[in-house]
Amino acid sequence: MAAAPVIADGFEESVRTLCMIENAFLFKVPPRGATGYSASALKANPLFSGRLEMMAKGEECVILVKDKTTGKPYVTCPVRYKGPPAYEATFDSSRYFVLRIENLKTGKHAYAGLGFNKREEALDFKVAPTLPAGHPSHCAKPA
């Protein structure tokens, strides 16, 4: 795979694309209910539509939702196998998640809903960071 230019703070050359989904949707996150986050509640509060890219360098991995026109990252979500989870699935849909977005410089975080049009896209998103070690798309070792 060809080297990529700088794509986000802390990521430089030799970046691998694990997953790219052309249509990803971000939503404002309502309060978490007793059973978790609800996709139907997320869909009521749209924020942004862009392209999702999951990138890896060594054992570091990041989820980016970028503006389709400029390519500039709108949100950054680091995937870590130690620490808080990068995302949580909603209880009422396999196509919706809640991302733990983070400013990589300050460490401050917030939450944003994420949705896909197709189940296949959601499956690609879920599988990409968990591929076995040695797979060309593997991004980190599970703890």
Side-chain angles (χ1 to χ4, degrees):
M1 182 175 285
V6 174
I7 60 163
D9 297 335
F11 285 85
E12 300 167 342
E13 301 179 84
S14 301
V15 175
R16 295 171 291 139
T17 301
L18 304 181
C19 177
M20 185 180 299
I21 299 169
E22 282 302 317
N23 294 306
F25 305 93
L26 293 177
F27 305 91
K28 183 178 176 183
V29 179
R32 189 178 194 281
T35 56
Y37 293 105
S38 166
S40 59
L42 290 177
K43 290 188 271 187
N45 299 294
L47 284 176
F48 182 78
S49 171
R51 181 179 64 242
L52 180 134
E53 295 180 15
M54 190 176 301
M55 311 295 281
K57 178 184 177 189
E59 292 191 3
E60 297 178 0
C61 185
V62 67
I63 299 165
L64 302 167
V65 179
K66 296 181 172 184
D67 183 291
K68 290 181 190 181
T69 306
T70 65
K72 183 177 177 181
Y74 186 76
V75 297
T76 304
C77 174
V79 178
R80 298 183 179 104
Y81 286 96
K82 293 182 180 178
Y87 63 87
E88 180 180 337
T90 60
F91 68 84
D92 56 348
S93 176
S94 62
R95 296 180 298 122
Y96 289 84
F97 306 87
V98 174
L99 294 177
R100 183 182 188 276
I101 59 176
E102 186 174 317
N103 181 317
L104 297 175
K105 289 182 181 177
T106 65
K108 291 182 180 182
H109 71 275
Y111 295 92
L114 172 68
F116 303 105
N117 283 329
K118 301 176 184 171
R119 288 183 186 168
E120 297 83 21
E121 294 169 337
L123 180 61
D124 289 347
F125 170 76
K126 288 192 294 190
V127 171
T130 62
L131 294 169
H135 188 282
S137 294
H138 175 72
C139 76
K141 296 176 187 170

